[in-house]
Amino acid sequence: AQKITQTQPGMFVQEKEAVTLDCTYDTSDQSYGLFWYKQPSSGEMIFLIYQGSYDEQNATEGRYSLNFQKARKSANLVISASQLGDSAMYFCAMREVTGAGSYQLTFGKGTKLSVIP
Amino acid sequence: GAGVSQSPSNKVTEKGKDVELRCDPISGHTALYWYRQSLGQGLEFLIYFQGNSAPDKSGLPSDRFSAERTGGSVSTLTIQRTQQEDSAVYLCASSSSRDSLYEQYFGPGTRLTVT
């Protein structure tokens, strides 16, 4: 079963509007972390935001916020006031402790966001 | 400061040949990860190094894949007898043990094409 599900292969948003990128996850661990990364066409992975499973407040970083609903196992990324430079692939990821005791990130398949001028 | 660097940036090889991909993590980072990203897909975990501990090899897809990390710094991912399905972008990431709960810093990747 998929551990990270991103149901939107592609999204369009008008410049200056807000957009929500969906992410649901599956884990039986009590302690885990959720991440969002941005991957522009140049290929580098850029860290955007992190939410710990025990964090009571939703994480925010500038125009990025994470709508964390633990009971629903969802961690949606909200981008406010979209800019043309936000056009990229966005990946949701979950950090888990593996059987070998190491940290591992499991990634979703990504959502391609296109910002329309 | 310098970020994670990887070399080569692009590698084209013939099926059956061996290849070596190199990763230089951020200085002082004790954790190092290798991932593979096939075309249009998310990242697939391959292997994880933490300090001097035995690596977590649980993500390696076959015994043709191996990796080492010398002196706790530079890492080399080796693929033996390459196959066409090995074509992908191989990404390396590092994190400090203190920050491993939060963020991994990624390199630019090596694009491997097996012909």
Side-chain angles (χ1 to χ4, degrees):
Chain A
Q2 267 188 320
K3 290 202 168 186
I4 298 287
T5 302
Q6 294 181 253
T7 58
Q8 307 151 313
M11 289 279 288
F12 290 90
V13 64
Q14 202 74 39
E15 193 179 6
K16 300 180 185 176
E17 297 290 312
V19 63
T20 298
L21 306 183
D22 294 342
C23 173
T24 58
Y25 60 92
D26 182 27
T27 183
S28 56
D29 291 349
Q30 296 301 308
S31 177
Y32 53 89
L34 297 156
F35 299 75
W36 278 92
Y37 283 86
K38 172 184 178 181
Q39 188 177 43
S41 57
S42 53
E44 73 270 30
M45 294 288 285
I46 303 168
F47 166 76
L48 295 178
I49 197 166
Y50 167 83
Q51 179 85 41
S53 57
Y54 293 117
D55 294 341
E56 294 185 354
Q57 302 278 348
N58 284 344
T60 60
E61 289 286 346
R63 295 187 298 111
Y64 304 107
S65 60
L66 200 152
N67 183 0
F68 181 45
Q69 298 189 40
K70 196 170 182 178
R72 293 186 176 185
K73 294 188 176 178
S74 75
N76 299 339
L77 176 70
V78 180
I79 305 174
S80 63
S82 298
Q83 302 172 356
L84 295 179
D86 294 335
S87 294
M89 283 291 289
Y90 288 81
F91 291 97
C92 179
M94 178 170 62
R95 173 187 55 80
E96 297 180 290
V97 178
T98 72
S102 68
Y103 291 114
Q104 174 180 324
L105 282 182
T106 301
F107 286 80
K109 294 187 181 297
T111 295
K112 184 174 182 179
L113 177 66
S114 300
V115 180
I116 305 165
Chain B
V4 178
S5 61
Q6 292 185 246
S7 60
S9 55
N10 279 284
K11 176 72 177 179
V12 180
T13 190
E14 291 180 355
K15 177 182 173 181
K17 296 283 180 70
D18 298 352
V19 295
E20 284 190 351
L21 313 179
R22 178 187 166 105
C23 172
D24 276 283
I26 292 173
S27 177
H29 278 191
T30 57
L32 187 148
Y33 306 78
W34 282 98
Y35 294 89
R36 176 169 71 175
Q37 185 175 27
S38 300
L39 186 63
Q41 300 295 313
L43 275 68
E44 172 190 12
F45 167 78
L46 297 177
I47 190 169
Y48 163 76
F49 295 90
Q50 173 61 56
N52 295 322
S53 303
D56 177 356
K57 303 179 182 180
S58 59
L60 294 179
S62 79
D63 58 9
R64 295 186 297 105
F65 287 73
S66 63
E68 62 178 21
R69 189 178 183 192
T70 53
S73 181
V74 172
S75 177
T76 302
L77 176 69
T78 301
I79 309 173
Q80 296 178 309
R81 305 180 303 281
T82 51
Q83 304 293 314
Q84 288 185 331
E85 61 261 29
D86 299 335
S87 296
V89 176
Y90 290 81
L91 289 157
C92 174
S94 72
S95 66
S96 68
S97 58
R98 176 173 60 86
D99 292 339
S100 63
L101 289 177
Y102 295 94
E103 184 175 350
Q104 295 179 10
Y105 297 84
F106 282 82
T110 293
R111 182 175 298 277
L112 175 67
T113 304
V114 182
T115 59

